[in-house]
Amino acid sequence: MRKSALLLMLTAIVLLTSCKSGNDQGQLTGVRANKKFFPEKPYGMSLIPGGSFTMGKEDEDVAGAFSAPPRTVTVRPFYMDETEITNSEYREFVFRVRDSILRTKLAILAEEANMGGREEVEQKKGDASGIAQYSFKETDSTDNAYFKYMMDNYGSLGDINSPTEGRYLNWDVELVWNTEEFPDQYYAEAMDSMYLAIDEAMTRKRKIDTRKLKYTYTYIDNAEAARGRSDLKNYIKKEEIAIYPDTAVWVKDFNYSYNDPMHQDYFWHQAYDDYPVVGVSWKQAKAFCMFRTEKRNNFLAGKKKGSGKEPRFRLPTEAEWEYAARGGLEYAKYPWGGPYTTTDRGCFLANFKPERGNYAADGALYTVEAKSYDPNDYGLYNMSGNVSEWTNTAYNPSSYYLGSTINPNVEDETNKRKVIRGGSWKDVAYFLEVGTRDYEYADSARSYIGFRTVQDYMGTKMK
């Protein structure tokens, strides 16, 4: 008995000690997440370690612009796309916007036609052709009390101006695109609102009116909010952007030139799936970044893998772009080092306009696939040539003289000139130099301008 009592006493002491070890004993220990955070490298991106470099023209300024004097600049670590955004990747954005608009129209029309009730949906459950299947998803209040509360009190989950009023679209049912298979007249009516006018149809084939493909998003003007002192709602901006690329740039950019095949096929034909998207304005590139951010965060929310900080995709700043283009090489003229545009065997290292205008000398007449030529030491392809790339920075010829030397950037909504970098398939070698600056207007789209995105790195990763 004595041994049993002693054993029980020892067990109790051990249990009390173990319980106490998890107590902070009145000490400040901080609030920590349930699990340790490890940065996850986004698909198709390279990690660019933070560091310092000499930004600008280290040697002669052939153009005499004097807008890029050399100076030491430091940037924080970030992820960057290994390639320019391709036609295939941008097409996913176009399809998502198109399908969202159509599903919204179908859901609203089903409701107006008194076909959105739960009982009738149940009755038509086995009917794969009824428009009722595209009705808004019903949410059981026992499963989602927040949804019921918001809808009862605000009629929305946050955007009172949304045509869906915060309700969920039904993405489980496939859309029907073949006109001969439209399920009913209600469906045909919704589709009719998406098409070009009947007098614009040719050979009895009606096409989607791409002008209606508009993406709406909101964001906070952080720079303005940091300086101001009024309510946050005054700094929330709303943008509605027509996101379809301007395929006519292949014709408009070149007078007296036959480029109709590129106009007709470049964005849609599978032969160009892996080529960089062009005809996209700065505003459209920004909208794509918002779409990519939304897609990723919706997935993480569904998997409950949120880290407290939602990953955000954006355009690179001018300094980030040049730092990444140099690939860790100091005083390099081109991403591959320099100072020549060919190898010792005479092979060209980029897609540009060589030899006094012999476009085909480098193996391509227009653009090439986004993953062409050799990558730089950060694993980035075509940082020089192929297409010039939008950056987030507004162009100011004096910014190198006046700006900060740590994460420099000029963010000015009133300045419509935005910096483009890298040179393109139609440019001479000067514009391929990593220190060369150029610009285009934000609302312009060109056959030689594309973009790639970046994402901030959470933590410290210096080279």
Side-chain angles (χ1 to χ4, degrees):
M1 285 292 292
R2 288 182 178 177
K3 287 184 178 179
S4 299
L6 183 61
L7 185 61
L8 281 169
M9 189 179 295
L10 289 172
T11 304
I13 291 172
V14 170
L15 287 172
L16 286 170
T17 306
S18 62
C19 289
K20 266 198 161 183
S21 63
N23 196 310
D24 62 14
Q25 299 182 5
Q27 302 295 329
L28 184 65
T29 59
V31 177
R32 295 182 177 273
N34 295 329
K35 57 182 180 179
K36 188 172 176 60
F37 172 73
F38 296 96
E40 181 180 357
K41 186 173 84 69
Y43 176 75
M45 285 187 153
S46 292
L47 174 59
I48 313 300
S52 297
F53 73 109
T54 303
M55 183 178 180
K57 290 284 189 183
E58 298 92 355
D59 48 14
E60 59 179 341
D61 186 355
V62 177
F66 302 111
S67 63
R71 60 175 184 155
T72 300
V73 165
T74 304
V75 296
R76 50 172 291 143
F78 57 95
Y79 296 105
M80 177 177 257
D81 285 325
E82 295 173 355
T83 68
E84 301 116 341
I85 295 299
T86 64
N87 284 320
S88 176
E89 291 168 331
Y90 194 86
R91 207 180 301 143
E92 181 182 340
F93 178 32
V94 173
F95 281 1
R96 184 67 179 189
V97 171
R98 179 200 66 183
D99 293 356
S100 297
I101 294 173
L102 178 55
R103 288 184 186 277
T104 301
K105 289 177 179 289
L106 288 169
I108 293 174
L109 188 58
E111 188 173 64
E112 291 176 349
N114 296 320
M115 300 180 66
R118 179 185 293 274
E119 293 181 1
E120 188 160 354
V121 171
E122 289 296 327
Q123 293 172 4
K124 289 182 173 270
K125 203 168 186 180
D127 181 9
S129 62
I131 193 177
Q133 291 185 95
Y134 299 98
S135 301
F136 292 112
K137 276 192 172 182
E138 295 290 338
T139 302
D140 192 336
S141 60
T142 59
D143 296 333
N144 195 332
Y146 176 75
F147 178 89
K148 185 177 187 308
Y149 172 82
M150 292 295 288
M151 294 302 295
D152 289 346
N153 288 272
Y154 300 100
S156 170
L157 287 181
D159 184 2
I160 59 176
N161 298 314
S162 169
T164 65
E165 296 178 339
R167 288 167 294 177
Y168 299 116
L169 295 176
N170 185 2
W171 289 87
D172 298 331
V173 184
E174 293 290 331
L175 293 172
V176 179
W177 297 102
N178 187 343
T179 56
E180 297 180 0
E181 298 176 2
F182 283 178
D184 51 37
Q185 288 188 354
Y186 294 109
Y187 193 95
E189 181 181 342
M191 285 297 296
D192 182 61
S193 67
M194 298 288 292
Y195 287 142
L196 287 166
I198 190 67
D199 57 359
E200 296 183 64
M202 296 181 293
T203 63
R204 299 174 61 184
K205 291 183 179 179
R206 299 186 67 189
K207 295 183 178 180
I208 298 292
D209 186 349
T210 57
R211 294 168 297 186
K212 295 181 178 179
L213 304 184
K214 296 182 179 180
Y215 179 68
T216 303
Y217 66 93
T218 56
Y219 67 97
I220 296 175
D221 188 339
N222 291 319
E224 193 67 26
R227 300 188 197 94
R229 294 184 178 180
S230 61
D231 295 337
L232 180 62
K233 63 182 181 181
N234 296 323
Y235 307 111
I236 297 177
K237 309 291 184 180
K238 185 175 182 178
E239 293 281 356
E240 185 180 68
I241 305 295
I243 52 90
Y244 196 82
D246 185 359
T247 57
V249 291
W250 292 103
V251 176
K252 293 188 293 186
D253 285 346
F254 307 97
N255 293 324
Y256 306 109
S257 176
Y258 177 68
N259 289 308
D260 280 7
M262 300 297 283
H263 171 209
Q264 298 295 333
D265 302 328
Y266 185 77
F267 182 62
W268 276 106
H269 199 282
Q270 63 265 34
Y272 298 103
D273 276 356
D274 297 324
Y275 284 62
V277 66
V278 297
V280 174
S281 69
W282 183 81
K283 292 184 176 181
Q284 290 173 322
K286 295 264 286 186
F288 177 88
C289 293
M290 295 298 294
F291 155 75
R292 189 174 182 183
T293 298
E294 182 181 30
K295 180 184 179 183
R296 179 60 178 163
N297 287 323
N298 285 344
F299 170 81
L300 293 177
K303 294 293 183 180
K304 297 182 179 179
K305 295 177 64 176
S307 62
K309 168 91 166 54
E310 296 181 338
R312 182 173 70 95
F313 296 92
R314 56 180 175 81
L315 294 177
T317 66
E318 182 180 15
E320 288 173 335
W321 191 98
E322 183 172 332
Y323 178 72
R326 291 179 179 274
L329 301 176
E330 282 289 342
Y331 308 113
K333 192 172 186 177
Y334 301 105
W336 51 84
Y340 307 109
T341 56
T342 59
T343 65
D344 54 0
R345 295 187 177 185
C347 298
F348 283 97
L349 294 165
N351 176 24
F352 65 113
K353 179 182 175 181
E355 298 181 1
R356 297 179 180 271
N358 184 358
Y359 287 98
D362 54 22
L365 184 59
Y366 300 106
T367 58
V368 293
E369 291 179 322
K371 193 171 279 189
S372 299
Y373 304 98
D374 291 329
N376 71 1
D377 288 349
Y378 284 150
L380 307 176
Y381 293 84
N382 288 312
M383 290 301 282
S384 282
N386 210 23
V387 291
S388 297
E389 298 174 13
W390 289 113
T391 72
N392 189 54
T393 304
Y395 179 77
N396 184 332
S398 303
S399 60
Y400 279 33
Y401 298 93
L402 306 174
S404 170
T405 58
I406 180 168
N407 299 316
N409 187 36
V410 178
E411 221 168 334
D412 183 0
E413 291 291 332
T414 62
N415 187 346
K416 304 305 179 184
R417 297 188 298 178
K418 307 300 179 181
V419 173
I420 57 174
R421 286 301 204 104
S424 72
W425 59 269
K426 74 155 193 69
D427 290 318
V428 295
Y430 169 76
F431 291 98
L432 270 62
E433 297 177 15
V434 290
T436 298
R437 306 180 74 195
D438 200 2
Y439 69 87
E440 185 54 84
Y441 288 90
D443 58 354
S444 298
R446 301 295 183 190
S447 60
Y448 46 85
I449 299 179
F451 68 100
R452 70 181 79 205
T453 67
V454 300
Q455 180 186 303
D456 292 324
Y457 178 87
M458 288 176 275
T460 301
K461 186 74 175 180
M462 310 301 285
K463 69 173 183 178

